[in-house]
Amino acid sequence: MPSAIIEASRIIKDYGSFRALHSVSLEVGTGEFVALVGPSGCGKTTLLKIIAGFEEPTSGELKIAGSNMDGVPAAKRPVRMVFQRLALFPHKTVRDNIGFPLKLAKTEKVEADRRVRAMLDLMHLNPSYLGRYPAQLSGGEQQRVALARALVSRPGVLLLDEPMSALDVKLKKSLQAELKNLHRNLGTSFVLVTHDLEEAMMLADRICVMRSGRVLQVGTPSEIYYRPVDTFVASFIGDTNLFPVSIANGQGGSVAFSSPIIACDSAIAPKAQCSPTIEGDRASLLVRPEAMRFVEAGNAQPFATLNGKVEEFFIKGASIQFRIRVDGHPVPVVMDLPGTPNIPAAVGADVTIGFDRSDVFLLQE
């Protein structure tokens, strides 16, 4: 990770008797894009507000660009924030909204005008919009104005509190791509709070998963998705299949496992595919839906197979999701296949499905 621009150490935040953050520590590198995800009430927005200076921690230390932020007001911090509701001034024009931070900083008018126009170009907004008011803009245009206002003062960190949650799907996808490109070109550190897990996976260099005011795991999207620290993270980040298995110690750190519903020869998971926290004789075998496939007689056989019945399928365009009811398993097994006009199995069909050894990961149950 590059040198840290944000260093949050053992942050605790209490609201009366309620503890919103439990000794949270997180570093954000210079130029890095970090996404904070977790269920509602997990503390991610509280952490963002503490970084911004809108909340003070009960205890702990926060440094930004090497300086301790204890008692430093929001306006004096090298960060800017884009809110979920955008908070544009309805009575000010686009020019005045974008230029407002420069006005507070008493920037010379010529320089302020130059930077406002530069931000307009960066956000792909027509210069004719400078004289318009927020109510005269579309939702996507308002979003770009809010981003321009946050970035015009060239902050070291941009904080984003679910800024695209109210947009329609097509517009959101477009702005997500622009936000990724913007981050790459500016080199500013971005911290994004989002409920959209796909958005976090698409945009972030690293993802911080939170629950009940605690950080459970921080890692790259690939690490979070394929090597989750526990079953909560595994289930929270995308669809997954978790099969209870009995385990025994293998050789060289590998783990042997068995399950009454999974048929396989030499059921051993290599050390790299086993969580270091596994204890006892029970574990959960994680297999992502896209790793599953139908097994047909005469074709190459996978490492492991299960027998079941198609309960339902959903056509999602680029993919088809099947839900397979397997005897002895309490919930349907989820399987994602590439989209095709020819549905490979009908509802009610008896099927065999399988997966390969390289696609499994063992977690503490």
Side-chain angles (χ1 to χ4, degrees):
M1 190 185 76
S3 59
I5 190 169
I6 296 175
E7 299 169 89
S9 303
R10 302 177 302 281
I11 299 292
I12 292 174
K13 178 60 180 178
D14 293 331
Y15 294 100
S17 61
F18 173 69
R19 178 152 292 181
L21 294 177
H22 297 258
S23 193
V24 168
S25 295
L26 177 69
E27 290 190 357
V28 177
T30 302
E32 189 180 28
F33 198 136
V34 171
L36 307 180
V37 303
S40 296
C42 71
K44 53 189 183 293
T45 296
T46 299
L47 178 59
L48 200 73
K49 289 180 177 179
I50 287 174
I51 295 171
F54 299 129
E55 297 276 3
E56 286 292 328
T58 303
S59 66
E61 183 181 60
L62 174 67
K63 290 183 178 180
I64 301 178
S67 298
N68 193 304
M69 292 292 109
D70 187 24
V72 178
K76 298 293 184 182
R77 299 188 179 195
V79 305
R80 290 294 178 268
M81 189 163 176
V82 177
F83 299 90
Q84 185 174 354
R85 296 178 181 267
L86 302 185
L88 295 175
F89 300 114
H91 60 287
K92 291 183 181 291
T93 64
V94 168
R95 183 195 302 274
D96 291 338
N97 264 285
I98 296 175
F100 187 72
L102 302 178
K103 182 179 179 181
L104 291 180
K106 297 182 171 57
T107 305
E108 291 185 4
K109 187 177 184 309
V110 173
E111 173 63 11
D113 286 345
R114 186 190 68 78
R115 286 167 65 174
V116 166
R117 287 186 174 275
M119 290 309 304
L120 212 68
D121 290 340
L122 189 64
M123 297 298 164
H124 305 294
L125 288 168
N126 194 305
S128 65
Y129 288 9
L130 286 172
R132 294 188 184 183
Y133 292 89
Q136 297 173 304
L137 305 176
S138 69
E141 290 163 350
Q142 290 181 26
Q143 188 69 60
R144 290 185 179 93
V145 171
L147 284 168
R149 184 180 63 182
L151 291 167
V152 73
S153 56
R154 300 169 182 167
V157 179
L158 180 65
L159 308 175
L160 302 138
D161 186 13
E162 299 196 69
M164 292 176 278
S165 61
L167 302 178
D168 64 71
V169 174
K170 189 172 183 179
L171 181 56
K172 180 187 287 190
K173 294 291 185 186
S174 174
L175 283 175
Q176 285 170 346
E178 290 188 21
L179 193 63
K180 183 73 172 180
N181 186 58
L182 192 66
H183 171 257
R184 184 181 296 109
N185 291 335
L186 291 177
T188 302
S189 299
F190 283 22
V191 182
L192 169 71
V193 164
T194 181
H195 277 94
D196 188 333
L197 303 177
E198 182 181 349
E199 181 174 88
M201 297 287 286
M202 285 172 56
L203 298 179
D205 299 316
R206 289 190 302 146
I207 297 173
C208 172
V209 184
M210 300 182 66
R211 183 188 190 189
S212 301
R214 294 176 171 86
V215 172
L216 299 185
Q217 185 174 3
V218 181
T220 66
S222 180
E223 290 168 344
I224 296 291
Y225 190 74
Y226 291 109
R227 298 293 182 262
V229 71
D230 60 23
T231 54
F232 173 82
V233 175
S235 300
F236 187 76
I237 303 294
D239 290 326
T240 195
N241 300 297
L242 293 168
F243 302 104
V245 295
S246 301
I247 63 172
N249 291 330
Q251 296 181 346
S254 62
V255 174
F257 64 89
S258 62
S259 167
I261 65 172
I262 300 174
C264 58
D265 296 326
S266 184
I268 297 175
K271 181 179 180 180
Q273 293 171 226
C274 301
S275 169
T277 62
I278 292 178
E279 296 178 352
D281 59 358
R282 304 292 297 171
S284 288
L285 185 72
L286 179 152
V287 186
R288 291 292 183 183
E290 65 273 14
M292 315 274 311
R293 69 178 189 268
F294 286 121
V295 179
E296 298 179 2
N299 292 344
Q301 297 298 298
F303 159 67
T305 59
L306 304 92
N307 295 315
K309 187 184 293 290
V310 176
E311 183 175 272
E312 191 56 86
F313 66 85
F314 306 95
I315 298 175
K316 301 166 70 175
S319 65
I320 303 174
Q321 185 175 94
F322 285 85
R323 293 182 179 267
I324 314 295
R325 179 62 67 177
V326 174
D327 289 341
H329 195 53
V331 296
V333 175
V334 182
M335 179 172 67
D336 285 344
L337 298 180
T340 172
N342 303 311
I343 307 302
V347 172
D350 292 320
V351 295
T352 299
I353 57 177
F355 51 87
D356 292 324
R357 189 196 305 271
S358 59
D359 294 319
V360 306
F361 189 67
L362 274 176
L363 290 165
Q364 181 66 39
E365 187 179 40

